[in-house]
Short mmCIF file of all heavy atoms in Angstrom, two decimals:
data_model
loop_
_atom_site.label_atom_id
_atom_site.label_comp_id
_atom_site.label_asym_id
_atom_site.label_seq_id
_atom_site.Cartn_x
_atom_site.Cartn_y
_atom_site.Cartn_z
N LEU A 215 65.05 30.35 112.26
CA LEU A 215 65.65 31.32 113.19
C LEU A 215 65.24 31.01 114.63
O LEU A 215 66.06 31.12 115.56
CB LEU A 215 65.22 32.74 112.80
CG LEU A 215 65.85 33.89 113.59
CD1 LEU A 215 67.36 33.95 113.33
CD2 LEU A 215 65.20 35.21 113.21
N LEU A 216 64.00 30.61 114.82
CA LEU A 216 63.54 30.29 116.17
C LEU A 216 64.10 28.96 116.67
O LEU A 216 64.07 28.71 117.89
CB LEU A 216 62.01 30.23 116.19
CG LEU A 216 61.27 31.55 115.97
CD1 LEU A 216 59.77 31.33 115.96
CD2 LEU A 216 61.64 32.57 117.04
N VAL A 217 64.59 28.12 115.78
CA VAL A 217 65.16 26.83 116.17
C VAL A 217 66.59 26.99 116.69
O VAL A 217 67.12 26.09 117.35
CB VAL A 217 65.09 25.84 115.00
CG1 VAL A 217 65.81 24.53 115.31
CG2 VAL A 217 63.64 25.53 114.65
N ILE A 218 67.23 28.13 116.41
CA ILE A 218 68.63 28.33 116.82
C ILE A 218 68.82 28.13 118.33
O ILE A 218 69.80 27.48 118.74
CB ILE A 218 69.11 29.73 116.37
CG1 ILE A 218 69.22 29.76 114.84
CG2 ILE A 218 70.45 30.07 117.01
CD1 ILE A 218 69.64 31.11 114.28
N PRO A 219 67.93 28.66 119.21
CA PRO A 219 68.13 28.35 120.65
C PRO A 219 68.10 26.87 120.96
O PRO A 219 68.81 26.42 121.87
CB PRO A 219 66.94 29.08 121.31
CG PRO A 219 66.61 30.19 120.37
CD PRO A 219 66.85 29.63 119.00
N PHE A 220 67.30 26.10 120.21
CA PHE A 220 67.28 24.65 120.38
C PHE A 220 68.64 24.06 120.00
O PHE A 220 69.15 23.15 120.68
CB PHE A 220 66.16 24.05 119.54
CG PHE A 220 65.88 22.60 119.82
CD1 PHE A 220 66.40 21.97 120.93
CD2 PHE A 220 65.09 21.86 118.95
CE1 PHE A 220 66.14 20.63 121.19
CE2 PHE A 220 64.83 20.53 119.19
CZ PHE A 220 65.36 19.91 120.32
N LYS A 221 69.24 24.59 118.94
CA LYS A 221 70.57 24.13 118.54
C LYS A 221 71.60 24.41 119.64
O LYS A 221 72.47 23.59 119.91
CB LYS A 221 71.00 24.81 117.24
CG LYS A 221 70.21 24.38 116.01
CD LYS A 221 70.75 25.07 114.76
CE LYS A 221 69.98 24.64 113.52
NZ LYS A 221 70.50 25.32 112.30
N TRP A 222 71.50 25.58 120.24
CA TRP A 222 72.42 25.90 121.35
C TRP A 222 72.24 24.91 122.49
O TRP A 222 73.23 24.45 123.08
CB TRP A 222 72.16 27.31 121.84
CG TRP A 222 72.48 28.38 120.83
CD1 TRP A 222 73.31 28.27 119.75
CD2 TRP A 222 71.97 29.72 120.83
NE1 TRP A 222 73.34 29.46 119.06
CE2 TRP A 222 72.55 30.37 119.70
CE3 TRP A 222 71.11 30.44 121.64
CZ2 TRP A 222 72.27 31.69 119.38
CZ3 TRP A 222 70.83 31.76 121.33
CH2 TRP A 222 71.40 32.37 120.21
N ALA A 223 70.98 24.56 122.80
CA ALA A 223 70.73 23.61 123.89
C ALA A 223 71.30 22.24 123.55
O ALA A 223 71.86 21.56 124.43
CB ALA A 223 69.22 23.52 124.15
N VAL A 224 71.17 21.82 122.30
CA VAL A 224 71.73 20.54 121.88
C VAL A 224 73.25 20.55 122.03
O VAL A 224 73.87 19.58 122.47
CB VAL A 224 71.33 20.22 120.43
CG1 VAL A 224 72.08 19.00 119.91
CG2 VAL A 224 69.83 19.97 120.34
N GLY A 225 73.86 21.68 121.67
CA GLY A 225 75.31 21.80 121.85
C GLY A 225 75.71 21.76 123.32
O GLY A 225 76.72 21.13 123.67
N TRP A 226 74.93 22.42 124.19
CA TRP A 226 75.24 22.39 125.62
C TRP A 226 75.12 20.97 126.18
O TRP A 226 75.90 20.57 127.04
CB TRP A 226 74.29 23.30 126.39
CG TRP A 226 74.44 24.75 126.06
CD1 TRP A 226 75.43 25.31 125.29
CD2 TRP A 226 73.59 25.82 126.46
NE1 TRP A 226 75.24 26.66 125.19
CE2 TRP A 226 74.12 27.02 125.91
CE3 TRP A 226 72.43 25.91 127.24
CZ2 TRP A 226 73.53 28.27 126.10
CZ3 TRP A 226 71.84 27.14 127.44
CH2 TRP A 226 72.39 28.31 126.88
N ALA A 227 74.12 20.22 125.68
CA ALA A 227 73.91 18.86 126.17
C ALA A 227 74.93 17.88 125.60
O ALA A 227 75.03 16.75 126.08
CB ALA A 227 72.49 18.40 125.84
N GLY A 228 75.67 18.30 124.55
CA GLY A 228 76.68 17.43 123.95
C GLY A 228 76.08 16.21 123.27
O GLY A 228 76.64 15.11 123.37
N ILE A 229 74.95 16.43 122.60
CA ILE A 229 74.26 15.31 121.95
C ILE A 229 74.62 15.26 120.47
O ILE A 229 74.42 16.25 119.75
CB ILE A 229 72.73 15.45 122.11
CG1 ILE A 229 72.37 15.44 123.60
CG2 ILE A 229 72.01 14.32 121.38
CD1 ILE A 229 70.92 15.74 123.86
N GLY A 230 75.15 14.14 120.02
CA GLY A 230 75.42 13.93 118.60
C GLY A 230 76.32 14.99 118.01
O GLY A 230 77.27 15.47 118.63
N ASP A 231 76.00 15.38 116.79
CA ASP A 231 76.79 16.38 116.06
C ASP A 231 76.14 17.76 116.10
O ASP A 231 76.48 18.63 115.29
CB ASP A 231 77.00 15.94 114.62
CG ASP A 231 75.68 15.64 113.91
OD1 ASP A 231 74.63 15.73 114.57
OD2 ASP A 231 75.70 15.30 112.71
N GLY A 232 75.19 17.97 116.99
CA GLY A 232 74.55 19.27 117.11
C GLY A 232 73.40 19.49 116.16
O GLY A 232 72.84 20.58 116.10
N GLN A 233 73.00 18.46 115.42
CA GLN A 233 71.88 18.59 114.49
C GLN A 233 70.55 18.52 115.24
O GLN A 233 70.41 17.78 116.21
CB GLN A 233 71.92 17.48 113.43
CG GLN A 233 73.11 17.58 112.48
CD GLN A 233 73.03 18.83 111.61
OE1 GLN A 233 71.96 19.22 111.16
NE2 GLN A 233 74.19 19.46 111.38
N VAL A 234 69.60 19.31 114.79
CA VAL A 234 68.29 19.38 115.42
C VAL A 234 67.27 18.72 114.49
O VAL A 234 67.25 18.99 113.29
CB VAL A 234 67.89 20.84 115.71
CG1 VAL A 234 66.46 20.91 116.21
CG2 VAL A 234 68.84 21.45 116.73
N GLU A 235 66.42 17.89 115.07
CA GLU A 235 65.38 17.22 114.29
C GLU A 235 64.03 17.47 114.94
O GLU A 235 63.83 17.19 116.12
CB GLU A 235 65.65 15.71 114.21
CG GLU A 235 64.63 14.96 113.36
CD GLU A 235 64.93 13.48 113.27
OE1 GLU A 235 65.95 13.04 113.85
OE2 GLU A 235 64.13 12.75 112.63
N LEU A 236 63.11 18.03 114.16
CA LEU A 236 61.74 18.23 114.60
C LEU A 236 60.83 17.50 113.62
O LEU A 236 61.17 17.31 112.45
CB LEU A 236 61.37 19.71 114.66
CG LEU A 236 62.05 20.55 115.74
CD1 LEU A 236 63.34 21.16 115.22
CD2 LEU A 236 61.14 21.66 116.24
N ILE A 237 59.66 17.12 114.09
CA ILE A 237 58.76 16.34 113.26
C ILE A 237 57.38 16.99 113.25
O ILE A 237 57.07 17.86 114.07
CB ILE A 237 58.63 14.89 113.77
CG1 ILE A 237 58.03 14.88 115.19
CG2 ILE A 237 59.98 14.19 113.75
CD1 ILE A 237 57.70 13.49 115.70
N TYR A 238 56.55 16.57 112.29
CA TYR A 238 55.12 16.88 112.33
C TYR A 238 54.38 15.63 111.93
O TYR A 238 54.78 14.89 111.02
CB TYR A 238 54.75 18.08 111.47
CG TYR A 238 55.04 18.00 110.00
CD1 TYR A 238 54.07 17.60 109.09
CD2 TYR A 238 56.30 18.36 109.51
CE1 TYR A 238 54.34 17.55 107.73
CE2 TYR A 238 56.57 18.32 108.16
CZ TYR A 238 55.59 17.92 107.27
OH TYR A 238 55.86 17.86 105.92
N THR A 239 53.29 15.35 112.64
CA THR A 239 52.60 14.06 112.54
C THR A 239 51.31 14.13 111.73
O THR A 239 50.67 13.12 111.52
CB THR A 239 52.28 13.52 113.94
OG1 THR A 239 51.50 14.49 114.65
CG2 THR A 239 53.56 13.26 114.71
N ALA A 240 50.93 15.33 111.30
CA ALA A 240 49.74 15.48 110.46
C ALA A 240 50.15 16.22 109.19
O ALA A 240 51.01 17.12 109.25
CB ALA A 240 48.65 16.25 111.20
N PRO A 241 49.57 15.88 108.05
CA PRO A 241 49.99 16.51 106.80
C PRO A 241 49.88 18.03 106.82
O PRO A 241 50.72 18.72 106.25
CB PRO A 241 49.04 15.90 105.76
CG PRO A 241 48.60 14.60 106.35
CD PRO A 241 48.56 14.83 107.83
N GLN A 242 48.85 18.55 107.47
CA GLN A 242 48.62 19.99 107.47
C GLN A 242 49.27 20.70 108.65
O GLN A 242 49.18 21.93 108.76
CB GLN A 242 47.11 20.28 107.48
CG GLN A 242 46.42 20.04 108.81
CD GLN A 242 46.10 18.56 109.05
OE1 GLN A 242 46.51 17.69 108.29
NE2 GLN A 242 45.34 18.29 110.10
N GLU A 243 49.94 19.98 109.52
CA GLU A 243 50.43 20.57 110.77
C GLU A 243 51.45 21.68 110.51
O GLU A 243 51.36 22.77 111.08
CB GLU A 243 51.05 19.49 111.65
CG GLU A 243 51.58 20.03 112.97
CD GLU A 243 52.17 18.93 113.84
OE1 GLU A 243 51.94 17.73 113.54
OE2 GLU A 243 52.86 19.26 114.82
N PHE A 244 52.44 21.43 109.65
CA PHE A 244 53.48 22.43 109.43
C PHE A 244 52.92 23.65 108.70
O PHE A 244 53.37 24.77 108.93
CB PHE A 244 54.63 21.81 108.63
CG PHE A 244 55.85 22.69 108.57
CD1 PHE A 244 56.33 23.33 109.70
CD2 PHE A 244 56.53 22.89 107.38
CE1 PHE A 244 57.45 24.14 109.65
CE2 PHE A 244 57.64 23.70 107.32
CZ PHE A 244 58.11 24.32 108.47
N PHE A 245 51.93 23.44 107.84
CA PHE A 245 51.30 24.57 107.15
C PHE A 245 50.61 25.49 108.15
O PHE A 245 50.80 26.72 108.11
CB PHE A 245 50.29 24.05 106.12
CG PHE A 245 49.49 25.14 105.46
CD1 PHE A 245 50.06 25.97 104.51
CD2 PHE A 245 48.16 25.34 105.81
CE1 PHE A 245 49.32 26.98 103.92
CE2 PHE A 245 47.41 26.34 105.21
CZ PHE A 245 48.00 27.16 104.26
#
């Protein structure tokens, strides 16, 4: 739900198909 504003920004920027990709670099980071 909090990523939705990021999706809106991607749509405004006209990047790709509007898909959002976030990453985590440590195994425990997302937890």
Side-chain angles (χ1 to χ4, degrees):
L215 185 65
L216 293 177
V217 174
I218 291 178
F220 190 13
K221 291 183 180 180
W222 295 339
V224 171
W226 295 351
I229 299 173
D231 55 358
Q233 293 295 321
V234 173
E235 182 179 359
L236 292 91
I237 62 172
Y238 60 96
T239 57
Q242 74 279 8
E243 180 179 347
F244 190 45
F245 174 74

